[in-house]
């Protein structure tokens, strides 16, 4: 019963957050100078053409009326129609979202597969020169902007070494994306770099905490080898908080995907968002932000649930 109330409360909070995000983004987009008419029709458009476009799209109504109309269509499952592409926003996102998910999931998998053993390795060699070196590199990787890291990777691996193509896989289907795995390497590495830096630090801290626990000293006193203790006990207990934190990293992954897709011309939702921003295509921008907001809220909700299951001491009524 307690977990049911916890889930109900968190779902209601999630819906409230999504509603607030739509209000804020809707108002910010409509506050931008120029408006979509100028971006769609071009700088040579006359005042009459702009007025006709605004009337056709309902942009000459008051902002509250526009938002209520948008929310009504949204509740019916209609995300609107792209001004620039003249296609349904839901259809455009449905075509691009799977590719973005492929990029983010691969980045997350690579990040975790490297960060978890790296963090444990650092914890075992705590305060040794190699620990300081890896810690310094982690701070550098975390503080380096994604676009700068991507540019460096392009320069080194496509221009100097010529190991990988500079452009990500193209095509409308996932089969075409996976048809050129070499072209996925640099985008995935660009997206995974900061995750490796962050989660290796989490894993290092969690491992150090578990190494100081009584059960580790008891196992050592019983004659168990350090490798066996790390594999059978420390690894599992250190991994649970790291997995719980993964849900909070969802917005970072999606935000990084936006930059990575534009940099490598990857035909995902991030590139769609970037193109829509250039032409002030409000329906596409709102649709992309809504999808990212839902993914972020769901990821946070899952992280809260995992923490609740892992540690029952977490209160069901916490924010």
């Amino acid at each position: 019963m307690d977990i049911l109330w916890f889930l109900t409360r968190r779902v209601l909070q999630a819906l409230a957050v999504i509603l607030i995000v739509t209000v804020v983004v809707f108002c910010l987009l409509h506050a931008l100078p120029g408006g979509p008419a100028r971006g769609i029709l071009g700088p040579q458009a006359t005042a009459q053409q702009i007025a006709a476009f605004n009337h056709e799209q309902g942009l000459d109504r008051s902002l509250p009326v526009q938002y209520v109309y948008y929310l009504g269509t949204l509740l019916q499952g209609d995300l609107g129609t792209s001004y620039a592409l003249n296609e349904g926003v839901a259809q455009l996102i449905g075509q691009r979202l799977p590719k973005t998910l492929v990029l983010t999931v691969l980045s997350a998998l690579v990040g975790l597969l490297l960060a978890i053993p790296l963090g444990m390795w650092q914890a075992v060699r705590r305060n040794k020169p190699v620990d300081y070196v890896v810690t310094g590199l982690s701070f550098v990787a975390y503080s380096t902007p994604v676009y700068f890291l991507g540019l460096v990777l392009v320069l080194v691996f496509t221009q100097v070494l010529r190991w990988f193509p500079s452009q990500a896989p193209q095509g409308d289907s996932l089969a075409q994306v996976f048809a050129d795995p070499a072209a996925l390497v640099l985008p995935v590495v660009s997206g995974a770099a900061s995750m490796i830096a962050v989660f290796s630090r989490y894993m290092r801290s969690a491992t150090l905490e578990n190494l100081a626990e009584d059960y580790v000293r008891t196992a050592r006193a019983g004659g168990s080898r350090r490798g066996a203790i790390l594999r059978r006990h420390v690894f599992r207990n250190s991994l649970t908080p790291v997995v719980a934190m993964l849900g909070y990293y969802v917005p970072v992954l999606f935000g990084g995907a936006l930059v990575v897709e534009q940099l490598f011309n990857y035909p995902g939702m991030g590139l769609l968002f970037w193109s829509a921003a250039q032409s002030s295509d409000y329906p596409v921008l709102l649709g992309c932000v809504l999808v990212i907001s839902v993914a972020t809220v769901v990821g946070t909700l899952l992280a809260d649930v995992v923490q609740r299951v892992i540690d029952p001491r977490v209160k069901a009524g916490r924010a």
Side-chain angles (χ1 to χ4, degrees):
M1 191 66 180
D2 187 42
I3 188 66
L4 181 61
W5 167 244
F6 173 75
L7 288 175
T8 302
R9 183 183 179 89
R10 295 296 291 122
V11 168
L12 292 176
Q13 289 176 344
L15 293 175
V17 168
I18 293 174
L19 181 62
I20 293 172
V21 168
T22 61
V23 173
V24 172
V25 175
F26 190 89
C27 294
L28 288 177
L29 287 178
H30 284 74
L32 294 175
R38 184 65 65 184
I40 300 299
L41 301 178
Q44 305 301 324
T46 64
Q48 292 79 6
Q49 291 173 324
I50 292 177
F53 179 88
N54 288 336
H55 180 72
E56 180 184 356
Q57 301 297 334
L59 298 173
D60 55 352
R61 304 172 185 172
S62 65
L63 195 60
V65 172
Q66 290 185 53
Y67 178 75
V68 171
Y69 178 78
Y70 169 74
L71 191 60
T73 58
L74 184 63
L75 293 176
Q76 297 175 14
D78 184 5
L79 298 179
T81 303
S82 169
Y83 297 153
L85 302 176
N86 198 28
E87 292 186 51
V89 175
Q91 180 181 357
L92 290 171
I93 293 177
Q95 293 171 351
R96 305 293 188 96
L97 182 58
K99 301 168 196 171
T100 297
L101 290 176
V102 167
L103 180 61
T104 53
V105 170
L106 287 177
S107 298
L109 288 176
V110 171
L112 289 176
L113 289 176
L114 294 178
I116 290 173
L118 183 62
M120 292 192 67
W121 185 64
Q122 281 187 264
V124 173
R125 291 160 177 78
R126 180 186 182 186
N127 294 332
K128 293 184 178 180
V130 67
D131 182 31
Y132 293 126
V133 170
V134 175
T135 298
L137 292 175
S138 297
F139 286 142
V140 170
Y142 180 71
S143 59
T144 301
V146 176
Y147 69 87
F148 180 77
L149 175 62
L151 289 174
V152 171
L153 292 176
V154 169
L155 179 63
V156 173
F157 291 100
T158 69
Q159 303 300 317
V160 179
L161 299 177
R162 300 183 182 276
W163 288 355
F164 304 106
S166 60
Q167 184 171 260
Q170 302 298 301
D172 296 329
S173 66
L174 289 179
Q176 291 173 303
V177 172
F178 287 112
D180 190 7
L184 276 173
V185 173
L186 295 185
V188 169
V189 171
S190 299
S194 63
M195 189 172 186
I196 295 172
V198 172
F199 279 83
S200 65
R201 302 301 299 166
Y202 280 132
M203 194 65 186
R204 178 183 182 275
S205 299
T207 302
L208 287 175
E209 290 179 3
N210 281 277
L211 287 174
E213 294 291 336
D214 292 337
Y215 74 87
V216 173
R217 288 192 289 269
T218 302
R220 286 176 177 172
S224 298
R225 296 183 178 180
R226 185 177 67 175
I229 296 174
L230 289 173
R231 289 192 303 270
R232 297 175 184 174
H233 306 290
V234 175
F235 172 73
R236 182 176 58 186
N237 293 333
S238 302
L239 191 61
T240 45
V242 174
V243 173
M245 288 301 299
L246 185 60
Y248 298 114
Y249 208 75
V250 170
V252 180
L253 287 172
F254 274 95
L258 188 153
V259 179
V260 170
E261 289 181 13
Q262 192 275 334
L263 182 62
F264 292 96
N265 195 32
Y266 183 81
M269 196 175 68
L271 186 59
L272 176 67
F273 182 90
W274 183 274
S275 301
Q278 306 304 306
S279 58
S280 298
D281 197 344
Y282 289 174
V284 175
L285 293 174
L286 285 168
C288 291
V289 170
L290 180 64
V291 171
I292 295 174
S293 301
V294 170
T296 301
V297 169
V298 170
T300 306
L301 178 61
L302 291 177
D304 287 345
V305 172
V306 170
Q307 283 188 324
R308 174 74 175 170
V309 172
I310 292 172
D311 189 357
R313 294 172 297 178
V314 177
K315 294 181 180 181
R318 75 183 184 88

